[in-house]
């Protein structure tokens, strides 16, 4: 019997469900818990529409019924919505600390005269990406692919090099605001891909890992197709 070929919608539907499972897995490692019955259909729909596929892609897993988050600071179990707010606040705080440390370091090298005021713009999206890349680079857990398949050197190091080079190009053109807006526009794609690069651990997840790594390299390169040098993981 000839196996019936899947339609484009069926393939997209399966891909959307796979991405949803990956998002959930990454969130669970950060302390979230989910009621899977609220997130996944009880059975495969007979007819798969573009609207159904988009609803899965855009699903906010943190706002769903039964989603909880264990707050490490208080030891309390809170709703997923509150948990997401706690994470965002923590990222913003870390970004502010990073900016402050850089400003202090810069002032030590180039002291600002007492009678002048310096405006320091905030670039939360840029700082958020840098913090996440640093988190991946500093991760010492060898179970994850980003450490294992590169012979010990963290693959995120190459991603950060690409990111910093592009950031410097924008800075040289006095256009960091444009870079910030560019990252904000691609925030969801970047965060999802960074989660895959960070948490992929099984060999069967290698394809997703490589795809996410390539996607990040392209985005961090300013949207242009990266060179083979950029795409190449450390030997």
């Amino acid at each position: 019997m000839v196996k019936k070929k899947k339609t484009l919608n069926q393939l997209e539907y399966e891909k959307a469900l796979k991405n949803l499972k990956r998002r959930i897995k990454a969130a669970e490692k950060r302390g979230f818990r989910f009621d899977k019955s609220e997130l996944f259909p009880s059975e495969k729909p007979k007819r798969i529409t573009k609207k159904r596929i988009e609803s899965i892609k855009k699903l906010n897993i943190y706002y769903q019924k039964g989603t909880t988050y264990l707050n490490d600071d208080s030891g309390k179990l809170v709703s997923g919505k509150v948990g997401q707010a706690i994470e965002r606040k923590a990222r913003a705080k870390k970004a502010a600390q990073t900016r402050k440390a850089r400003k202090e370091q810069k002032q030590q090298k180039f002291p600002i005269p007492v009678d002048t005021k310096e405006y320091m713009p905030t670039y939360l999206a840029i700082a958020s990406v840098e913090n996440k890349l640093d988190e991946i680079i500093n991760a010492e857990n060898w179970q994850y692919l980003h450490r294992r398949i590169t012979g010990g050197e963290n693959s995120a190091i190459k991603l950060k090099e690409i990111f910093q080079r592009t950031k410097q190009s924008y800075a040289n053109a006095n256009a960091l605001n444009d870079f910030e807006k560019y990252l904000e526009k691609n925030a969801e794609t970047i965060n999802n891909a960074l989660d895959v690069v960070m948490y992929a651990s099984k060999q069967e997840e290698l394809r997703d890992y490589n795809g996410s790594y390539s996607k990040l390299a392209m985005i961090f390169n300013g949207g242009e197709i990266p060179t083979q040098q950029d795409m190449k993981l450390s030997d």
Side-chain angles (χ1 to χ4, degrees):
M1 183 178 177
V2 179
K3 190 174 181 181
K4 189 176 179 181
K5 189 176 180 181
K6 294 180 180 178
T7 66
L8 287 177
N9 275 5
Q10 287 173 330
L11 293 172
E12 280 295 310
Y13 178 76
E14 290 176 359
K15 183 180 178 181
L17 283 180
K18 189 175 182 181
N19 286 336
L20 176 60
K21 290 177 182 177
R22 189 166 57 227
R23 288 165 55 201
I24 290 172
K25 180 181 176 182
E28 285 177 335
K29 291 178 179 179
R30 303 196 311 271
F32 287 92
R33 293 295 177 265
F34 303 91
D35 181 351
K36 306 293 174 59
S37 65
E38 294 289 335
L39 297 172
F40 295 99
S42 56
E43 57 184 29
K44 188 175 180 179
K46 294 180 180 179
R47 182 169 176 268
I48 298 173
T49 63
K50 288 286 186 183
K51 185 177 180 180
R52 185 183 292 274
I53 295 170
E54 285 302 311
S55 69
I56 295 174
K57 289 180 178 179
K58 295 179 180 179
L59 180 67
N60 189 325
I61 58 177
Y62 307 104
Y63 280 40
Q64 301 307 305
K65 183 179 178 182
T67 301
T68 59
Y69 175 75
L70 181 60
N71 187 343
D72 288 335
D73 292 335
S74 66
K76 293 181 180 180
L77 198 65
V78 297
S79 70
K81 183 176 181 180
V82 173
Q84 188 183 39
I86 291 172
E87 278 199 335
R88 285 175 174 170
K89 185 177 180 180
R91 284 196 295 267
K93 182 179 179 180
K94 189 171 182 179
Q97 290 172 339
T98 300
R99 290 195 305 274
K100 182 180 178 182
R102 287 176 181 167
K103 181 179 178 181
E104 290 174 349
Q105 186 179 24
K106 183 179 178 181
Q107 288 176 344
Q108 288 174 2
K109 292 181 180 179
F110 308 103
I112 301 173
V114 177
D115 59 345
T116 65
K117 293 182 179 179
E118 181 183 10
Y119 169 66
M120 296 294 290
T122 57
Y123 298 113
L124 294 180
I126 294 174
S128 177
V129 172
E130 289 175 328
N131 288 336
K132 185 65 176 180
L133 286 171
D134 286 339
E135 182 182 347
I136 300 174
I137 290 171
N138 294 328
E140 296 295 333
N141 197 328
W142 280 77
Q143 70 168 307
Y144 296 126
L145 290 176
H146 67 259
R147 298 268 328 174
R148 219 165 57 231
I149 69 173
T150 56
E153 184 174 358
N154 199 306
S155 63
I157 293 174
K158 179 61 66 179
L159 288 176
K160 188 168 184 183
E161 288 175 1
I162 298 171
F163 183 84
Q164 294 292 357
R165 185 173 65 239
T166 302
K167 175 186 172 183
Q168 189 58 51
S169 296
Y170 275 88
N172 291 343
N174 293 319
L176 276 180
N177 279 332
D178 292 333
F179 189 42
E180 176 78 5
K181 290 176 183 177
Y182 170 70
L183 294 177
E184 287 175 348
K185 181 181 178 181
N186 291 280
E188 184 176 357
T189 300
I190 292 171
N191 288 332
N192 289 341
L194 283 171
D195 279 341
V196 175
V197 172
M198 175 71 178
Y199 294 111
S201 56
K202 300 176 182 177
Q203 198 61 30
E204 53 263 35
E205 295 175 330
L206 181 59
R207 183 177 178 181
D208 291 335
Y209 167 87
N210 287 336
S212 294
Y213 184 94
S214 299
K215 187 180 296 182
L216 287 169
M218 184 177 71
I219 294 173
F220 292 167
N221 207 49
E224 300 294 333
I225 301 299
T227 64
Q228 289 300 314
Q229 177 81 19
D230 292 335
M231 298 290 292
K232 188 178 176 184
L233 297 179
S234 302
D235 293 331

